[in-house]
Amino acid sequence: MSRARPTAQIPATGTSALGHNPRMQDTPEPLFEVRALHKRYGQTTVVDHLSFSIAPGECLGVIGPNGAGKTTTLRMCLGQASPDGGQIRAFGLDMPRQALAIKAQLGVVTQFDTLDPDFSCLENLIVYGRYFGLSRRVMLERAPRLLEFAALSHKADARPGELSGGMRRRLSLARALVNNPRLLLLDEPTTGLDPQARHLMWERLQMLLQQGKSILLTTHFMDEAERLCHRLLVLDHGRCIAEGPPRTLIAEHLEPEVVEAYGNGALGLLRPDGPEAEALRPLASRTEVSGDTLFFYTRDARPLLQALAGHSALRTLHRPANLEDLFLKLTGRQIREGG
């Protein structure tokens, strides 16, 4: 099934379809900076002396298991929760003391849609613009261009309930752009979308980055993080346990090749008292078991693949190490509940 290609384009510099927003110039300080941020709920430390910064035109991704502190960090960055310690500065201003001035330059897409179900797509944008002091005249000029950017011009008069999940997420993104923000905070913006809708959303976010917007993105999709983010923070138990460009982190923490083995007899290969384990383990730097799949991490997969070829009931997958492998190595394979 082919995916319809969007037609709306945004110039990389100069006046855009979203209004005047030239590519940001280098500044003496980061566009957004968090220093030693700390937050406790009762006896539980949710964010533990977290520090990071975002440069103009940069996408910073925050990944981590449930309960790692991602959403709490975003809430503090938005002034919706008060930190117990640390400092947040955005655009040279202090949060929460100058929260209103900071929020005027932010665009936010939350995990769950907060669109007004009683308004059309066009009306959702116009009414939201009033929160930023934008007149109806300005919004009547700006909103159609935002709908075009979101590939929703043909749905201007439709209500959110009449849209697909992907359309609603693009409308939420368009709404987050009504004030022409310098920084977008996106909390899992593609959760629940099918692959076509996700790819279209990725294209729109890439356009914004090319235009010079900055993005702070939380996501559970490792392919999304690797595709969009210039740098990543890996959080666990409220602390940053790794930081850097995705491919750099993969190279620093992982062997370059992975062989997955599954099928009849796969788990028996690494049985401690089995002869196969004694022969196979030296062929990999590291092995892991998840469900009925064996993972072999190695710098040269050829000897291992030759050895596994002798087990006719096995199926194997040979691939390069990826961000999901990094995530699982650093945070573990155990499923966690909670936000």
Side-chain angles (χ1 to χ4, degrees):
M1 185 164 116
S2 62
R3 176 165 57 87
R5 300 285 296 180
T7 57
Q9 298 293 325
I10 296 181
T13 58
T15 302
S16 76
L18 306 181
H20 180 69
N21 185 31
R23 179 173 291 276
M24 298 299 301
Q25 301 297 317
D26 291 337
T27 58
E29 61 179 348
L31 193 71
F32 193 91
E33 187 171 20
V34 167
R35 301 175 186 169
L37 199 62
H38 190 76
K39 180 67 176 177
R40 293 175 62 89
Y41 288 111
Q43 299 301 311
T44 303
T45 299
V46 182
V47 178
D48 190 358
H49 295 91
L50 180 64
S51 298
F52 63 86
S53 63
I54 305 172
E58 180 181 35
C59 180
L60 177 68
V62 182
I63 62 175
N66 289 331
K70 303 184 299 296
T71 297
T72 301
T73 297
L74 280 187
R75 285 176 53 80
M76 288 190 286
C77 290
L78 288 169
Q80 296 173 347
S82 299
D84 295 322
Q87 183 182 32
I88 301 172
R89 284 185 60 80
F91 323 117
L93 306 172
D94 291 319
M95 176 73 83
R97 185 170 60 87
Q98 297 169 293
L100 288 179
I102 291 173
K103 289 180 180 180
Q105 303 179 68
L106 294 178
V108 181
V109 177
T110 57
Q111 287 185 35
F112 305 104
D113 291 331
T114 57
L115 301 166
D116 194 311
D118 297 323
F119 292 155
S120 69
C121 293
L122 182 64
E123 290 167 338
N124 261 278
L125 300 183
I126 292 173
V127 171
Y128 195 69
R130 300 303 297 270
Y131 291 112
F132 295 94
L134 300 172
S135 68
R136 184 174 180 85
R137 179 185 61 79
V138 169
M139 286 309 304
L140 283 173
E141 178 183 352
R142 185 172 297 184
R145 296 200 292 262
L146 289 166
L147 290 174
E148 181 184 6
F149 168 73
L152 290 173
S153 295
H154 62 301
K155 295 290 186 179
D157 297 324
R159 295 184 179 184
E162 302 169 40
L163 305 179
S164 68
M167 290 178 178
R168 288 196 299 272
R169 296 309 278 165
R170 296 201 307 275
L171 181 59
S172 293
L173 177 61
R175 193 183 66 169
L177 295 168
V178 297
N179 58 321
N180 197 22
R182 298 169 66 184
L183 173 65
L184 287 161
L185 275 63
L186 311 179
D187 195 5
E188 300 183 23
T190 64
T191 295
L193 301 188
D194 62 44
Q196 284 185 324
R198 287 176 64 205
H199 278 267
L200 185 51
M201 186 68 130
W202 291 346
E203 289 181 4
R204 289 324 195 220
L205 295 179
Q206 289 283 15
M207 285 183 183
L208 294 171
L209 289 170
Q210 291 167 9
Q211 190 192 7
K213 302 285 189 188
S214 297
I215 295 176
L216 176 60
L217 169 75
T218 73
T219 181
H220 282 300
F221 295 113
M222 297 300 104
D223 55 341
E224 179 168 284
E226 191 165 354
R227 179 184 294 258
L228 293 176
C229 299
H230 301 99
R231 284 188 303 121
L232 289 175
L233 295 181
V234 185
L235 299 189
D236 201 13
H237 302 293
R239 303 186 68 182
C240 177
I241 58 174
E243 179 180 359
R247 297 311 305 179
T248 300
L249 289 176
I250 291 170
E252 287 178 351
H253 291 274
L254 295 170
E255 299 79 7
E257 299 183 59
V258 182
V259 175
E260 299 181 22
Y262 52 98
N264 292 335
L267 297 182
L269 290 178
L270 293 184
R271 202 174 62 237
D273 57 346
E276 294 93 345
E278 187 175 345
L280 289 175
R281 279 202 179 100
L283 303 179
S285 302
R286 184 166 52 92
T287 59
E288 289 185 3
V289 179
S290 179
D292 61 354
T293 303
L294 299 175
F295 292 82
F296 298 90
Y297 297 88
T298 178
R299 299 193 176 280
D300 183 2
R302 289 172 296 180
L304 177 62
L305 290 170
Q306 291 173 2
L308 292 174
H311 300 270
S312 58
L314 285 180
R315 301 178 64 185
T316 60
L317 172 65
H318 176 211
R319 59 173 176 80
N322 58 34
L323 201 55
E324 184 170 318
D325 298 310
L326 172 78
F327 181 91
L328 294 172
K329 180 182 180 183
L330 294 180
T331 66
R333 293 182 178 271
Q334 183 179 357
I335 295 176
R336 305 184 196 177
E337 305 296 339

